[in-house]
Amino acid sequence: MLVLEVLPKVEAVILRLTSLKFHPGNNMREFMSKYNPEEKMFGDLKLHGPCNPVDYMDSETRKILDAVIKSLDERFGMFRESPLKDFNTVFNFKIWPSDRTSLALYGRDGLENILKFFEPIFDETKDSILNEYLDLKVCIAHYKTMSIYDAYLLVSETASPKFTHLQKVIDLMLSVSCSSAKCERVFSSMKLMKTRLRSNLSQENLQAQINVMVEGPPLHEFKASKAIEHWLGTSRGRHVNGHQAPERKSRQNENDLYNYDEFEVYEK
């Protein structure tokens, strides 16, 4: 998810929560249709114990909804402040005005806020970026039916000389993370990888193993043959009983897995 897509999605959730104060959702409607406190029944199930009437518009329900809405506002409040809110204004072409004069001026202040916040990166190219932003508004008109991510990814892949300086701002927008969840997952992976029994694991190997765990293919798609061949053929590391790479007798296809039953492993 792009940083400029966060706030609209949060606002959509808050609107749904606000609506629940006055109208029951699908789950509540289903519950109310099955719940019969007078006969102590829930659908075909007989209930035991006290069965109190349920009012989805009572004060307690509203307090819970208000607390959730307040928590969301506080948690994602930073996306309503510069420079994060400016990414939405500058690059969300879905909300750009259609009038020519308004479009020419739209987003300029937000782009200046971004350039000011990241001034060490864009100080020398500020004027060029502002001019290229006008060219982007013309170019992006051809991509309005695409998603925001796909449109700017296509702009980046084409590497048009018209956006030489603006491309850095686009790359920044595409790379800014909207949460720290991925970083936290990496730290969790590191804790699983580097236990007290592997305290001597080198930084290079640790980084490589974490990269495989986080970014690597699913286990059922992994073909171990190349890794095994590399490990047996290298002079680095420990080889059990001095085992080296086996002598290959035959191989039909380069993409086939090795059949090590056909190999003769020899020792030094």
Side-chain angles (χ1 to χ4, degrees), residues 27-37 39-48 51:
N27 294 332
M28 179 58 75
R29 279 197 294 268
E30 182 181 358
F31 175 84
M32 297 294 289
S33 66
K34 294 182 178 181
Y35 182 57
N36 188 342
E39 299 180 5
K40 292 189 174 183
M41 296 291 295
F42 184 79
D44 299 331
L45 299 176
K46 179 67 176 177
L47 301 177
H48 302 280
C51 296

Side-chain angles (χ1 to χ4, degrees), residues 57-236:
M57 295 182 64
D58 62 2
S59 59
E60 290 301 320
T61 302
R62 293 198 173 194
K63 286 181 180 179
I64 294 173
L65 291 172
D66 287 336
V68 174
I69 292 172
K70 181 180 179 181
S71 178
L72 288 174
D73 280 330
E74 293 176 352
R75 172 65 179 83
F76 295 96
M78 66 182 71
F79 290 93
R80 296 183 175 88
E81 302 173 359
S82 291
L84 295 182
K85 73 170 185 178
D86 297 314
F87 282 108
N88 184 51
T89 304
V90 173
F91 292 108
N92 188 355
F93 53 81
K94 305 287 186 180
I95 61 174
W96 286 355
S98 56
D99 177 68
R100 182 181 297 171
T101 303
S102 301
L103 180 61
L105 300 176
Y106 189 82
R108 183 181 177 90
D109 292 340
L111 182 56
E112 289 181 344
N113 290 337
I114 294 174
L115 297 179
K116 183 178 180 180
F117 188 86
F118 297 97
E119 188 172 3
I121 304 176
F122 305 111
D123 185 35
E124 298 179 358
T125 58
K126 179 179 178 180
D127 293 335
S128 299
I129 291 174
L130 292 173
N131 290 329
E132 291 176 4
Y133 182 52
L134 295 174
D135 295 329
L136 176 69
K137 292 176 179 178
V138 177
C139 176
I140 212 71
H142 304 290
Y143 306 142
K144 282 199 170 183
T145 57
M146 303 173 62
S147 68
I148 297 175
Y149 176 78
D150 290 338
Y152 285 109
L153 191 63
L154 186 59
V155 170
S156 300
E157 290 175 349
T158 54
S160 173
K162 294 188 297 184
F163 310 130
T164 303
H165 302 96
L166 182 63
Q167 185 60 55
K168 293 181 180 179
V169 188
I170 295 175
D171 292 340
L172 177 65
M173 180 270 296
L174 293 174
S175 60
V176 171
S177 176
C178 50
S179 74
S180 60
K182 188 167 185 178
C183 298
E184 293 170 1
R185 284 195 294 269
V186 172
F187 283 121
S188 298
S189 300
M190 184 181 68
K191 289 180 180 179
L192 294 174
M193 190 73 64
K194 191 169 184 177
T195 64
R196 63 183 182 84
L197 299 178
R198 308 183 73 189
S199 58
N200 291 330
L201 189 65
S202 68
Q203 188 66 28
E204 181 183 359
N205 285 337
L206 177 62
Q207 183 176 350
Q209 292 183 44
I210 290 177
N211 190 44
V212 171
M213 178 177 287
V214 177
E215 304 291 346
L219 186 60
H220 66 274
E221 294 181 3
F222 176 66
K223 293 185 177 181
S225 58
K226 290 184 178 180
I228 294 172
E229 184 181 36
H230 174 76
W231 180 77
L232 289 174
T234 183
S235 59
R236 297 165 54 189

